[in-house]
Amino acid sequence: IVLQTSDIDSSIFPVIINFRDFNMIDIGWGDEEFYQYPDFDWELAFKALFYPTPSTLRVEGISISRQLYFDLSEIVVRLLVTDSQFNAILKYIDDTFYRDEYGEKILSNRASGQIIFYAANGKYHLLNTCNTWLARCLRNAGLEISTDIILTEQLFNEAAKIGEVIKAK
Protein backbone atom coordinates (compact mmCIF):
# COMPACT_ATOMS: atom_id res chain seq x y z
CA ILE A 1 0.00 0.00 0.00
CA VAL A 2 1.35 3.41 -0.97
CA LEU A 3 0.38 6.48 1.02
CA GLN A 4 1.08 10.20 0.64
CA THR A 5 3.22 11.25 3.64
CA SER A 6 1.59 14.67 3.90
CA ASP A 7 -1.77 12.93 4.55
CA ILE A 8 -0.49 10.90 7.50
CA ASP A 9 -1.21 11.99 11.06
CA SER A 10 1.81 11.17 13.23
CA SER A 11 -0.42 10.69 16.29
CA ILE A 12 -2.03 7.70 14.52
CA PHE A 13 1.04 6.47 12.65
CA PRO A 14 4.13 7.65 14.61
CA VAL A 15 6.82 6.02 12.41
CA ILE A 16 5.99 8.60 9.74
CA ILE A 17 8.42 10.94 11.49
CA ASN A 18 11.22 8.80 9.99
CA PHE A 19 9.85 9.46 6.48
CA ARG A 20 8.87 13.14 6.43
CA ASP A 21 11.56 13.88 3.79
CA PHE A 22 9.74 11.62 1.32
CA ASN A 23 6.66 12.26 -0.84
CA MET A 24 5.15 8.84 -0.18
CA ILE A 25 5.70 5.64 1.73
CA ASP A 26 5.24 2.10 0.48
CA ILE A 27 4.29 -0.30 3.27
CA GLY A 28 4.35 -4.06 3.01
CA TRP A 29 4.14 -7.05 5.34
CA GLY A 30 6.03 -10.28 4.77
CA ASP A 31 8.16 -13.15 6.02
CA GLU A 32 10.95 -11.78 8.20
CA GLU A 33 13.84 -13.67 6.58
CA PHE A 34 12.71 -13.81 2.95
CA TYR A 35 11.49 -10.19 2.81
CA GLN A 36 14.80 -8.83 4.09
CA TYR A 37 17.05 -11.10 2.03
CA PRO A 38 18.68 -9.05 -0.75
CA ASP A 39 18.24 -11.68 -3.48
CA PHE A 40 15.73 -14.43 -4.26
CA ASP A 41 16.37 -17.59 -2.26
CA TRP A 42 14.29 -20.71 -3.02
CA GLU A 43 14.90 -22.25 0.39
CA LEU A 44 13.69 -19.13 2.21
CA ALA A 45 10.71 -18.84 -0.15
CA PHE A 46 9.70 -22.46 0.52
CA LYS A 47 10.04 -21.97 4.27
CA ALA A 48 8.03 -18.73 4.14
CA LEU A 49 5.15 -20.36 2.29
CA PHE A 50 4.90 -23.71 3.97
CA TYR A 51 5.86 -22.98 7.59
CA PRO A 52 4.38 -20.27 9.82
CA THR A 53 7.28 -17.86 10.16
CA PRO A 54 7.88 -14.54 11.95
CA SER A 55 6.83 -11.48 9.98
CA THR A 56 8.17 -8.01 9.32
CA LEU A 57 6.81 -4.67 8.18
CA ARG A 58 8.76 -2.94 5.43
CA VAL A 59 8.36 0.82 5.18
CA GLU A 60 10.03 2.52 2.22
CA GLY A 61 10.23 6.25 1.62
CA ILE A 62 9.55 7.27 -1.98
CA SER A 63 11.20 10.48 -3.23
CA ILE A 64 10.01 10.53 -6.82
CA SER A 65 6.67 11.95 -7.88
CA ARG A 66 3.52 9.89 -7.51
CA GLN A 67 3.06 9.84 -11.29
CA LEU A 68 6.58 8.54 -11.96
CA TYR A 69 6.27 5.94 -9.20
CA PHE A 70 2.99 4.68 -10.63
CA ASP A 71 4.43 4.73 -14.18
CA LEU A 72 7.16 2.39 -12.92
CA SER A 73 4.66 0.13 -11.14
CA GLU A 74 3.00 -2.88 -12.79
CA ILE A 75 -0.35 -2.52 -11.02
CA VAL A 76 -2.02 0.60 -9.62
CA VAL A 77 -5.51 0.81 -8.14
CA ARG A 78 -6.65 4.09 -6.62
CA LEU A 79 -8.89 3.67 -3.61
CA LEU A 80 -10.99 6.64 -2.57
CA VAL A 81 -11.52 6.53 1.17
CA THR A 82 -13.00 8.82 3.77
CA ASP A 83 -10.83 10.42 6.44
CA SER A 84 -12.10 7.93 9.01
CA GLN A 85 -11.33 5.00 6.66
CA PHE A 86 -7.84 6.38 6.01
CA ASN A 87 -7.23 6.72 9.74
CA ALA A 88 -8.52 3.16 10.26
CA ILE A 89 -6.00 1.95 7.65
CA LEU A 90 -3.19 3.77 9.46
CA LYS A 91 -4.29 2.38 12.84
CA TYR A 92 -4.53 -1.17 11.49
CA ILE A 93 -1.01 -0.94 10.08
CA ASP A 94 0.31 0.64 13.28
CA ASP A 95 -1.28 -2.14 15.33
CA THR A 96 0.60 -4.66 13.17
CA PHE A 97 3.97 -3.51 14.55
CA TYR A 98 5.32 -5.84 17.19
CA ARG A 99 6.12 -3.96 20.38
CA ASP A 100 8.48 -4.76 23.22
CA GLU A 101 7.46 -4.82 26.90
CA TYR A 102 7.70 -0.99 26.96
CA GLY A 103 5.36 -0.60 23.99
CA GLU A 104 8.17 0.41 21.64
CA LYS A 105 8.31 -0.78 18.04
CA ILE A 106 11.27 -3.03 17.32
CA LEU A 107 13.56 -2.07 14.48
CA SER A 108 14.48 -5.23 12.60
CA ASN A 109 16.80 -3.80 9.94
CA ARG A 110 17.57 -0.50 8.27
CA ALA A 111 18.27 -1.56 4.69
CA SER A 112 19.06 2.01 3.66
CA GLY A 113 18.07 5.52 4.61
CA GLN A 114 14.77 5.02 2.85
CA ILE A 115 13.88 1.44 3.81
CA ILE A 116 13.26 0.35 7.39
CA PHE A 117 12.11 -3.09 8.50
CA TYR A 118 10.25 -3.48 11.78
CA ALA A 119 9.27 -6.63 13.66
CA ALA A 120 5.60 -7.37 13.01
CA ASN A 121 2.77 -9.27 14.62
CA GLY A 122 1.47 -12.42 13.01
CA LYS A 123 2.91 -15.41 11.26
CA TYR A 124 3.51 -15.44 7.51
CA HIS A 125 2.56 -18.51 5.45
CA LEU A 126 0.72 -19.53 2.29
CA LEU A 127 -2.71 -18.77 3.74
CA ASN A 128 -1.58 -15.56 5.46
CA THR A 129 0.41 -13.54 2.93
CA CYS A 130 0.99 -9.85 2.28
CA ASN A 131 -2.13 -9.92 0.13
CA THR A 132 -4.36 -11.29 2.90
CA TRP A 133 -2.79 -8.78 5.30
CA LEU A 134 -3.67 -5.86 3.01
CA ALA A 135 -7.18 -7.20 2.33
CA ARG A 136 -7.80 -7.44 6.10
CA CYS A 137 -6.49 -3.91 6.51
CA LEU A 138 -8.88 -2.54 3.89
CA ARG A 139 -11.82 -4.58 5.20
CA ASN A 140 -11.11 -3.35 8.71
CA ALA A 141 -11.40 0.20 7.33
CA GLY A 142 -14.89 -0.60 6.04
CA LEU A 143 -14.10 -1.35 2.40
CA GLU A 144 -16.03 -4.19 0.75
CA ILE A 145 -13.20 -6.59 0.00
CA SER A 146 -12.82 -10.33 0.46
CA THR A 147 -10.13 -11.42 2.90
CA ASP A 148 -9.77 -14.91 1.39
CA ILE A 149 -6.91 -13.70 -0.77
CA ILE A 150 -3.64 -15.43 -1.46
CA LEU A 151 -2.48 -14.30 -4.89
CA THR A 152 -1.76 -10.81 -6.19
CA GLU A 153 -4.30 -11.33 -8.98
CA GLN A 154 -7.00 -12.03 -6.40
CA LEU A 155 -6.11 -8.84 -4.52
CA PHE A 156 -6.10 -6.85 -7.76
CA ASN A 157 -9.52 -8.23 -8.77
CA GLU A 158 -10.99 -7.37 -5.36
CA ALA A 159 -9.42 -3.89 -5.32
CA ALA A 160 -10.64 -3.25 -8.86
CA LYS A 161 -14.21 -3.78 -7.64
CA ILE A 162 -13.93 -0.99 -5.09
CA GLY A 163 -11.38 1.32 -6.69
CA GLU A 164 -10.25 2.83 -9.96
CA VAL A 165 -7.77 0.80 -12.00
CA ILE A 166 -5.05 3.22 -13.10
CA LYS A 167 -2.72 0.58 -14.47
CA ALA A 168 -2.84 -3.19 -14.97
CA LYS A 169 -0.13 -5.50 -16.28
Side-chain angles (χ1 to χ4, degrees), residues 37-82:
Y37 194 77
D39 296 313
F40 186 87
D41 182 286
W42 283 105
E43 191 174 314
L44 290 178
F46 182 84
K47 182 177 150 191
L49 288 175
F50 296 107
Y51 296 95
T53 55
S55 60
T56 189
L57 274 166
R58 178 184 185 274
V59 184
E60 178 179 3
I62 308 296
S63 296
I64 59 177
S65 72
R66 179 175 22 192
Q67 186 60 50
L68 179 56
Y69 186 73
F70 292 162
D71 286 347
L72 297 171
S73 300
E74 289 184 15
I75 298 171
V76 179
V77 179
R78 178 184 299 146
L79 300 176
L80 298 176
V81 296
T82 66

Side-chain angles (χ1 to χ4, degrees), residues 14-15 94 97-106:
V15 299
D94 191 66
F97 287 92
Y98 179 81
R99 290 169 169 79
D100 65 17
E101 63 272 12
Y102 304 105
E104 298 295 321
K105 295 174 180 82
I106 298 173

Side-chain angles (χ1 to χ4, degrees), residues 24 62 65 85 102 110 128 133 144 153-154 164 166:
M24 298 174 295
I62 308 296
S65 72
Q85 288 173 319
Y102 304 105
R110 185 178 284 263
N128 192 36
W133 173 82
E144 299 282 329
E153 292 78 20
Q154 291 170 304
E164 175 190 359
I166 305 297

